[in-house]
Amino acid sequence: MSTSVMVIGAGPAGLQAASTLSHLGFDVTLVEQQDYLGGAVARHQYQVLMPDFSSGPELLSRLIERVDNDSHITVYTGTQVEEVSESHDIFTIKLSGANQKTLQSQAVVLATGFDHFNPARDGKYGYGLFPDVITGAELEEMFAKGPIRRPSNGEIPQSVAFIYCVGSRDRQVGNTYCSRVCCAVSAKQAIELREQLPKARISMFYMDVRTYGLWEDTLYWRSQEEAGVVYVKGRIAEVTEQHGRPVLKGEDTLVRGPFEWPFDLVVLAAGMEPSGGTREMADKFQVSLESHGFIKQAGAIHNASLTDHPGVFVAGAASGPKAIEDSISEGDVASLAVFEYLKAKVTL
Amino acid sequence: MSEEAVVTHHLRLDPEDVGEQDAESLLDAIKSDLRYEEVIHGCLNCGVCSGSCPSHRFFDYSPRIVVQTVLSGDAQAVKDMMDEYIWACAQCYTCAMRCPFHNSPGGLVMIMREVAVWRGMEAVHRLLKPYGRVLLKVLSIGNQLTPDMIQPDFFPDWGPKIPWSSTDLAIKRKAIPVYTLQVTTSAWRVSPETSYELYTIYEETGVFRLIEQIDPNLYEVVSDMVEDLRDMIESSR
Ligand SMILES: Cc1cc2nc3c(=O)[nH]c(=O)nc-3n(C[C@H](O)[C@H](O)[C@H](O)COP(=O)(O)OP(=O)(O)OC[C@H]3O[C@@H](n4cnc5c(N)ncnc54)[C@H](O)[C@@H]3O)c2cc1C
Ligand code: SF4
Ligand code: SF4
Ligand code: SF4
């Protein structure tokens, strides 16, 4: 009998896990609730990826082709996990949606990812109120669709502000963690914007710049050196509007003190939260969440993919904010952990 | 547990401390206030409080700098701030609504002000000057604003109805169908027994000693009042 493993969620982490599990000899079912594959990268049509400015569509087609061309992987899109039961270490999983079946799996990888923090939940940014205040994900969609214009009037923006840490590092909204990628993604986006807007003022309003590791000079320094981006240390307290332009209010904590500063376009670096699907699957598969609501990595630092439920593994942003490269690596880590777990039970 | 590990939160209004102005002891009084741990958890130095602060917009005042100075432990710098800097705060608490660390810089300023008052700092003599009449009301009857204090010239921000409200006061107050409110020299009728109890509290907690220190003239007026009332109450018993 072949051994089957279910991967839930087909973002970068889930796609990688499905393919690696198949290489390791398992039959894989990849379940995705949307009717497309690729997770956040597909949803927001990321064109150019942080950190190396490689192509988002190319990455996706590589990940997706491998899955599509693999006879040991069955892909169910538009499909949800309805019900889970378990006996003798075998999960019986009832699917609903486009594929209404009941399957058995010996192990499960949760790759259910993140949702963007919805900035409308924090009234001070005027998101949803002022049309020229958009999220970083919406900026990615704008890059994909065509030239950057002000949503309010279709004009070319002469000034663009990025507001860091929206929905992250903030007890008021309940998210006290750092979302890890938004500093670097914002720097990448500013560099891209510069190509389209050679004369615009581009300002970053930050509390700390966390372009950690190799991203420090390749993104943070480069955005200043090559793209003339200006960094202002002061977290934005409030966005208002005057004469049809968003106005940023804050304290320049290092240099100039109080400011009220109008911009044509304001980009909110909205953070990452555990997705609804992540919470739901944690509940159905009875795995614990850590204190911020992500899936708890019960193996702590020795194995990122172990949950506290034997046979259930986790990969990618479902266990905390992380970049695509880390999510993909975790797809592999989870596959190897599945291998180790199952090899004791069955002969492959 | 070692002796040092026990953090003691004293009641900040320790009558023994009235007048004590040593910088270290001021900072100690601020940090050991019961509310301190509720208003300051740490600080990200982010500037959201200042960015939200109406006083920051118009004065040389930043709640972030107040928080950072207190956290720095530089007692002399904190004491210097208590002389003028912190009095620019409008106590609107917008900072507390926004601080990502759930601090309340406005709450910290409140503690610092209370310590400054309690210790009778020079700034307090200056700042309380215009409030002599309010203080007298508070000390004598426990009200701070009374109907007869509402003069149109002093309260333009209360809107256009204020001149009308301040005329024929006695008649208007009589029209209020609540017996205790039909007065003009206090917000509501205050019985002599209430004042008597109030004076006892002020005395026990050191408030009178404080007033004696920061405004001797006011203290004299109040002492006479207290004495008369006590004579009256005690002889009628
Ligand atoms: C604005 C922005 C830009 C970014 N740009 C970059 C970048 O340039 N470079 C970079 O390295 N990182 C970037 N990131 C981070 C990157 O998006 C994540 O690292 C990556 O998407 C995480 O992959 P994942 O597979 O774990 O999760 P996701 O991409 O979130 O995929 C999860 C998938 O699971 C599905 N799912 C969820 N629940 C269920 C369920 N119950 N049943 C079935 N399916 C389910 C979802 O529909 C989704 O398809 C960016 C993030 C933001 C916020
Ligand atoms: S990565 Fe940067 S913008 Fe994002 S939460 Fe962390 S510090 Fe804030
Ligand atoms: S309470 Fe004081 S410090 Fe806080 S915002 Fe209001 S005026 Fe500023
Ligand atoms: S808002 Fe809070 S964390 Fe930020 S500077 Fe002010 S006190 Fe510190």
Side-chain angles (χ1 to χ4, degrees):
Chain A
M1 179 196 118
S2 72
T3 309
S4 72
V5 179
M6 184 175 286
V7 176
I8 302 173
L15 289 167
Q16 179 73 11
S19 166
T20 304
L21 283 164
S22 161
H23 288 164
L24 292 172
F26 299 107
D27 278 334
V28 181
T29 310
L30 177 58
V31 176
E32 167 59 53
Q33 60 184 8
Q34 304 292 346
D35 43 23
Y36 54 84
L37 303 178
V41 181
R43 181 160 63 248
H44 303 294
Q45 306 164 54
Y46 301 167
Q47 298 299 299
V48 172
L49 298 179
M50 181 283 293
D52 60 356
F53 293 80
S54 60
S55 156
E58 258 169 47
L59 171 77
L60 276 190
S61 59
R62 206 162 50 237
L63 290 172
I64 292 171
E65 257 166 44
R66 273 196 325 196
V67 164
D68 279 346
N69 298 336
D70 190 325
S71 59
H72 291 283
I73 303 176
T74 312
V75 179
Y76 292 139
T77 53
T79 303
Q80 291 93 36
V81 170
E82 180 75 21
E83 226 176 272
V84 180
S85 59
E86 186 184 1
S87 110
H88 304 291
D89 293 347
I90 305 222
F91 297 97
T92 302
I93 301 166
K94 190 174 158 215
L95 300 178
S96 63
N99 297 279
Q100 309 194 351
K101 307 179 184 293
T102 299
L103 303 174
Q104 296 207 316
S105 294
Q106 276 92 330
V108 173
V109 176
L110 302 179
T112 43
F114 73 102
D115 280 338
H116 287 282
F117 172 80
N118 176 3
R121 260 171 54 204
D122 189 347
K124 68 174 180 282
Y125 297 114
Y127 178 76
L129 200 59
F130 310 134
D132 294 324
V133 178
I134 64 170
T135 64
E138 285 162 350
L139 182 64
E140 291 293 340
E141 290 165 25
M142 276 191 186
F143 279 132
K145 287 197 191 99
I148 301 299
R149 294 288 182 267
R150 299 181 64 196
S152 63
N153 59 11
E155 284 173 9
I156 299 173
Q158 305 299 321
S159 54
V160 183
F162 284 78
I163 302 183
Y164 282 37
C165 297
V166 171
S168 306
R169 308 178 69 192
D170 189 344
R171 232 176 222 157
Q172 300 282 358
V173 300
N175 295 338
T176 47
Y177 54 86
C178 164
S179 289
R180 290 179 89 204
V181 300
C182 9
C183 277
V185 169
S186 299
K188 180 220 70 160
Q189 290 176 331
I191 293 168
E192 276 182 279
L193 268 180
R194 175 58 76 216
E195 283 168 21
Q196 286 197 34
L197 308 171
K199 292 214 183 74
R201 179 155 48 79
I202 304 179
S203 311
M204 320 297 262
F205 293 90
Y206 71 98
M207 169 159 86
D208 303 290
V209 176
R210 293 187 165 169
T211 42
Y212 53 93
L214 308 184
W215 304 344
E216 171 72 10
D217 57 343
T218 57
L219 289 163
Y220 180 27
W221 295 13
R222 181 177 160 197
S223 67
Q224 300 186 52
E225 216 163 10
E226 287 176 23
V229 171
V230 172
Y231 285 77
V232 181
K233 185 165 164 69
R235 199 165 170 174
I236 295 304
E238 190 176 26
V239 180
T240 58
E241 197 184 42
Q242 260 174 35
H243 312 299
R245 298 167 81 201
V247 175
L248 271 50
K249 223 175 131 197
E251 179 193 20
D252 178 341
T253 59
L254 296 182
V255 189
R256 299 196 310 175
F259 62 77
E260 275 164 39
W261 207 336
F263 283 88
D264 284 347
L265 185 66
V266 175
V267 182
L268 305 178
M272 296 162 99
E273 289 185 329
S275 69
T278 292
R279 289 174 189 271
E280 199 188 317
M281 290 307 104
D283 187 44
K284 291 212 158 103
F285 285 95
Q286 292 172 24
V287 300
S288 301
L289 302 176
E290 52 79 64
S291 65
H292 308 94
F294 291 93
I295 289 175
K296 185 172 178 179
Q297 295 171 311
I301 56 174
H302 91 276
N303 189 326
S305 71
L306 299 183
T307 70
D308 61 359
H309 191 136
V312 184
F313 301 82
V314 62
S319 64
K322 55 187 65 97
I324 294 171
E325 51 185 322
D326 299 324
S327 300
I328 292 179
S329 305
E330 285 190 2
D332 286 338
V333 172
S335 304
L336 284 170
V338 169
F339 180 81
E340 214 168 285
Y341 168 76
L342 289 179
K343 106 181 151 186
K345 297 181 186 285
V346 291
T347 38
L348 295 168
Chain B
M1 208 186 288
S2 76
E3 197 85 347
E4 290 90 320
V6 184
V7 183
T8 46
H9 292 284
H10 19 96
L11 277 176
R12 90 207 96 88
L13 302 182
D14 186 343
E16 293 307 307
D17 289 338
V18 170
E20 171 60 62
Q21 291 185 14
D22 166 65
E24 291 291 347
S25 124
L26 291 172
L27 182 58
D28 185 55
I30 294 165
K31 288 198 159 175
S32 59
D33 186 281
L34 265 178
R35 296 161 296 179
Y36 181 81
E37 278 180 23
E38 222 174 274
V39 297
I40 300 298
H41 305 284
C43 175
L44 306 169
N45 230 330
C46 68
V48 163
C49 51
S50 309
S52 309
C53 172
S55 302
H56 178 63
R57 178 71 178 72
F58 296 104
F59 299 101
D60 173 22
Y61 169 75
S62 157
R64 177 183 61 83
I65 291 176
V66 176
V67 173
Q68 285 291 324
T69 308
V70 169
L71 287 176
S72 79
D74 183 339
Q76 189 53 48
V78 173
K79 184 178 177 182
D80 292 345
M81 257 183 176
M82 289 162 80
D83 185 51
E84 189 171 336
Y85 198 83
I86 59 165
W87 300 92
C89 167
Q91 291 289 310
C92 70
Y93 289 95
T94 313
C95 51
M97 272 173 49
R98 300 247 172 93
C99 169
F101 219 136
H102 260 194
N103 292 334
S104 173
L108 175 63
V109 167
M110 178 59 96
I111 295 173
M112 293 168 79
R113 286 177 172 185
E114 286 176 19
V115 170
V117 170
W118 201 244
R119 301 302 180 85
M121 289 179 75
E122 172 52 32
V124 177
H125 296 237
R126 277 196 322 269
L127 285 151
L128 287 183
K129 275 250 154 65
Y131 294 97
R133 217 172 147 212
V134 172
L135 266 178
L136 183 60
K137 292 276 186 188
V138 172
L139 289 168
S140 54
I141 53 173
N143 294 169
Q144 54 170 327
L145 266 185
T146 58
D148 63 350
M149 287 164 80
I150 300 172
Q151 293 156 11
D153 297 349
F154 292 172
F155 299 92
D157 53 327
W158 283 22
K161 287 240 156 63
I162 276 296
W164 179 85
S165 301
S166 54
T167 54
D168 300 326
L169 211 54
I171 294 173
K172 282 179 185 144
R173 295 290 287 193
K174 281 247 151 49
I176 301 176
V178 179
Y179 160 74
T180 52
L181 296 181
Q182 294 173 351
V183 284
T184 58
T185 54
S186 57
W188 59 86
R189 252 179 242 285
V190 179
S191 71
E193 287 77 9
T194 302
S195 288
Y196 184 87
E197 284 170 12
L198 206 56
Y199 298 158
T200 310
I201 294 170
Y202 288 150
E203 196 158 64
E204 292 293 319
T205 54
V207 169
F208 282 151
R209 266 174 53 198
L210 177 65
I211 298 297
E212 182 178 11
Q213 190 177 227
I214 58 176
D215 193 340
N217 294 335
L218 176 67
Y219 179 69
E220 217 165 288
V221 176
V222 173
S223 312
D224 289 347
M225 224 168 52
V226 171
E227 218 167 293
D228 290 350
L229 184 102
R230 281 185 172 156
D231 284 350
M232 190 185 98
I233 298 247
E234 277 155 23
S235 64
S236 72
R237 276 184 177 164

